Amino acid sequence: MWCIALTWLLPGMVQAQKVTLNHAIRIAQENSLDAQLARFSFQASYWNYRSFKAEFLPSLNLNGNLANYNRSLVETRNYDDGRLAYVSNNTLNNSLTLSLDQEIAATGGRISLMSYLHRLDQFTYKDHTFNTQPLRISYTQPLRSFNSLKWQKKTAPLEYEIAQKKYTTAMQDIAIRTTTLFFNVLSAQSNYQQSKATLADRETLYGMAQKRLELGTTTKSEVLQMELSVLNARVAEGNNRISLNDALYNLFSYLRLTDYANAELIPPSLVPDIIVNLEDVLTKAISNSSHTMEQRLEMLGAEQSLAQAKANRGIQVTLSGELGFMQSSETFGGAYQNLLDNEIIGLTLRLPIFDWGVSKGRIRMAQSRLEVVRTQQEQAHEDYIQELRKKVLQFNAQPVQCRNARRAQEIAEERYDIMRRRYEAGTVSVTDLNTALQEMTAAKAQYISQLYTFWSDYYGLQKSTLYDWMTQRDILIDVEQMVNER
């Protein structure tokens, strides 16, 4: 899957060597180790859910005990006088059981349709016996017992839905991580490009200052200050080059790409003017994210523990019965003729008379845990809603912040150009020029920082709601495609 994405994305990168934020996120969501771990985790949850559903379908089983040879001494008792003796035993046992079994989730019972064949060879007496049950229907039903299948039928689908939401959330985490690494490169790239331009400017201005010194229109101090600026610019250019290489490595190693020597990142300069409604965000977050589901699953776990503690207290009764036919003969054919009725029914029970309050204590513990979970969830839900409110307020402020930061950058660039021309004309000092340069550098850094805040907040909001606010649609996954991936 990720190979197809890279085939589509990388040609543009190889030719133009330019990477946008959307391209980087797509590659990361297909190719990064975090993406692969998220896919493997979801696939495990998918097959676990498939296995759970299969437990409620009839299962056909074949059990056998083949070539069980026994040559030993067997203890026997004389019924007349009770005396014990040991006699020689030389037998071979073979048996097969074919059964069709069905679990009944509503009651916790189990019904089976079976066919049984057993052959006993007694070599000492040179004879053999066939024992058969061609048809037997058995049913086992616990009464007043804890029905684990009933609770699994509630929790397993919820766990599977949570697994889908967690995978989608993991993709948004990857987007946020990629955004951070991407803007780290943008910042380093901007600093490096600015340092190169500054170095070129300072070398040019230094040459002009030397000529002015020869003409006597400037002072030695001004020339030395400009030379110092050239040296500082060279140091800054070297340091920024190293920082850029480190940032590129961190980004492209996360994308698991190696060819990035000439890569250039394109900042997402166009910030969409999006204002999200708080109520819409809360609605999408509650309906789409795993928050509500996880709380429901935790509550079900506490309720299940309480139900199990109550069910284990008092009398435990199990009803079991079977109905079928049987026969025994020295010949195989005879074992299936003149079949005899076979009926068995009975109850087994267990009644703890006195357990020193253990059962009562377990019920109280389960009740207390249920109340603790309910209280914790109320507080957690309030904190969750408050956190969403903060995210909405912060995000809605970002478009204006980005526009202001961009305008500040344009003003700082224009002012630096003016100060540079005035310096060339000899009307301002190097100090004034350096001040304008620092203001321009700070304005560029501020703009990149505001862009990063916008996109980081956007993907954070998208993670909380699992909703794409630009295309206005829910973020869903193709389960079949993911499961069939290799």
Side-chain angles (χ1 to χ4, degrees), residues 117 119 128 130 132 329-337:
L117 174 64
R119 171 171 171 156
H128 56 266
F130 290 94
T132 181
S329 175
E330 293 181 355
T331 64
F332 179 78
Y336 287 91
Q337 297 176 359

Side-chain angles (χ1 to χ4, degrees), residues 6 14 27 78 106 108 112 131 146 156 177 186 211 214 289 347 351 367 437 446 448 465 479:
L6 293 181
V14 172
I27 295 174
N78 189 306
S112 300
N131 181 23
F146 176 70
R177 173 65 175 161
L186 279 184
K211 291 180 180 180
E214 294 174 358
S289 72
L347 291 172
L351 177 60
Q367 288 174 335
L437 176 62
Q446 177 181 254
I448 293 176
T465 58
V479 174

